[in-house]
Amino acid sequence: MNKHVLFIFGGGGKEDYAADATLVASLQEGLGEAYLVHYPFLPHEQTKDFGRKKQIGRHISYIKGEIMLVGHSLGASMLLKYLSETRIRKRIAGLFLISTPFWRGQEDWKQGFILHKDFADKLPKHVPLFLDHSKDDKEVAFDHPELYAKCLPKARVRAIRKGGHQFNNDLSMLAKTLNPYENHSLCH
């Protein structure tokens, strides 16, 4: 039986989905046949959050059993938003966030992405959280994972020296993080 990983892409359109497909392929290759990486296209809806919360919930519900959640960029921040604003019944084995923006500011277009001040308290308890971010990311500055680390002291934050926003299209490091847990849940 396969272990399930749901990967939520960054950005809001088909070009972003295509760009992250290389990341997904790299992750699937690194994880091997024991894992099934689900990679749904989430269409851009005309809501402040692009419809992401609803779409993420729908795709989580499609997967039977325990699930690992992986998000890149906007997808990572929307996973945090979904998990902190929605009651989850499904068992989540781990949350892996890559190049995650910490949204702030008063601009109207950002309001659907900004987390509530108490978001950290609302996340599911006992779910291991990993934040990976390249120091040379030109899309999302390196201070963003530092802001998350202040809110999420139990999160494991990894600074990657080089790789840019797309991690050089190589998620083998993330696959190695997931693989040690192949025979048991990340949750204890």
Side-chain angles (χ1 to χ4, degrees), residues 78-143:
M78 292 312 295
L79 278 172
L80 282 174
K81 188 159 184 68
Y82 174 80
L83 292 171
S84 66
E85 295 179 10
T86 307
R87 188 160 186 228
I88 306 294
R89 290 200 162 92
K90 184 168 296 281
R91 186 173 171 124
I92 299 170
L95 179 58
F96 303 86
L97 307 174
I98 307 159
S99 305
T100 312
F102 192 100
W103 299 101
R104 55 191 179 227
Q106 299 301 315
E107 296 93 333
D108 189 54
W109 67 271
K110 291 181 182 178
Q111 299 313 302
F113 310 137
I114 294 174
L115 298 167
H116 295 288
K117 289 182 182 182
D118 64 346
F119 84 94
D121 298 329
K122 306 285 183 177
L123 291 172
K125 306 296 183 227
H126 310 295
V127 174
L129 174 58
F130 297 82
L131 290 157
D132 292 344
H133 207 103
S134 292
K135 289 183 175 182
D136 64 345
D137 188 332
K138 299 207 183 318
E139 302 283 326
V140 179
F142 193 71
D143 68 331

Side-chain angles (χ1 to χ4, degrees), residues 31-49:
L31 291 173
E33 294 178 9
Y35 291 83
L36 179 58
V37 180
H38 302 265
Y39 186 49
F41 176 69
L42 307 179
H44 179 78
E45 295 180 11
Q46 295 303 313
T47 61
K48 287 191 181 260
D49 72 350

Side-chain angles (χ1 to χ4, degrees), residues 161-178:
R161 199 166 52 86
K162 286 187 171 189
H165 190 63
Q166 292 294 123
F167 277 59
N168 290 328
N169 293 316
D170 181 7
L171 290 184
S172 58
M173 182 186 68
L174 179 58
K176 288 176 186 174
T177 302
L178 288 165

Side-chain angles (χ1 to χ4, degrees), residues 145-160:
E146 294 168 352
L147 294 168
Y148 278 118
K150 290 177 185 176
C151 299
L152 302 164
K154 292 183 180 181
R156 182 175 171 202
V157 179
R158 292 189 292 197
I160 311 305

